Amino acid sequence: MPTTQAAQGAECPEQVRFQIDALYRWQLERQQQSGPNQISSQRQRFTPQLYRLLQRAYDLTPADGRFVDFDLFSGSQVNTFSATLQGCRQEQVDLLSARVAVQAGLVGRRAELPMQLHYVFRQSPSAGWRIDDIIYPDAPSFRLTTYLRKLLEDQS
């Protein structure tokens, strides 16, 4: 049974733990459904800038000649089984990074090592902590916002 765990990120603000846990609960549920990705239900988890990029990118289809071709919340093209918040680091007064270990793989196959994603959270006085970016473990650093902007700019 897929699970999410945010309890291990004890030094993370409660709202960050909540955001990660709720995002991955949604992630695990949506994998069981067919059809388009309904990111609108998760709008409150993202900064307005990131949400606009996500919404525009998920509206693209193969007929457009470009589309989101991997799962943005696992960094893979396979199922997500679990996510564990491992800890946070304050970067600036209104910015922190959260380490999330995402277990993904093919159903029925032995699990591989978890993917280590770094979530960038930005705090606003009115909305609290929201996801502002995701940094994937590829070299050089692969960022969600960079990927989405490039995807939306390409005119294939």
Side-chain angles (χ1 to χ4, degrees):
M1 176 79 180
T3 61
T4 61
Q5 288 183 313
Q8 291 184 359
E11 73 275 18
C12 296
E14 180 64 31
Q15 188 178 33
V16 168
R17 290 194 307 267
F18 174 80
Q19 295 286 37
I20 292 293
D21 187 53
L23 177 69
Y24 280 97
R25 263 188 278 122
W26 169 79
Q27 165 82 348
L28 296 174
E29 288 172 12
R30 79 175 180 85
Q31 290 177 147
Q32 308 305 315
Q33 304 165 3
S34 60
N37 191 336
Q38 297 296 324
I39 195 70
S40 60
S41 69
Q42 300 302 300
R43 181 180 198 145
Q44 73 280 9
R45 303 204 193 297
F46 304 102
T47 59
Q49 300 83 357
L50 180 55
Y51 177 74
R52 279 192 294 276
L53 290 172
L54 287 166
Q55 187 177 41
R56 288 178 52 213
Y58 278 130
D59 284 344
L60 295 172
T61 68
D64 296 313
R66 57 205 161 99
F67 61 99
V68 176
D69 63 350
F70 72 100
D71 189 279
L72 304 177
F73 308 112
S74 72
S76 71
Q77 294 181 324
V78 294
N79 285 340
T80 301
F81 299 121
S82 66
T84 304
L85 178 61
Q86 296 182 314
C88 293
R89 184 177 70 225
Q90 194 78 37
E91 304 291 342
Q92 298 172 9
V93 172
D94 65 341
L95 200 66
L96 68 80
S97 64
R99 292 180 324 278
V100 178
V102 179
Q103 188 69 58
L106 297 172
V107 175
R109 294 186 88 183
R110 202 179 91 168
E112 298 186 21
L113 292 174
M115 177 80 73
Q116 299 293 320
L117 304 182
H118 290 265
Y119 277 74
V120 177
F121 278 83
R122 184 168 302 278
Q123 187 177 38
S124 80
S126 60
W129 291 105
R130 289 190 174 185
I131 300 165
D132 192 47
D133 208 349
I134 301 172
I135 303 170
Y136 303 94
D138 296 340
S141 184
F142 179 47
R143 297 178 81 94
L144 174 60
T145 53
T146 304
Y147 167 77
L148 294 175
R149 284 185 185 111
K150 181 160 178 35
L151 179 71
L152 294 166
E153 289 171 1
D154 283 348
Q155 298 297 316
S156 299

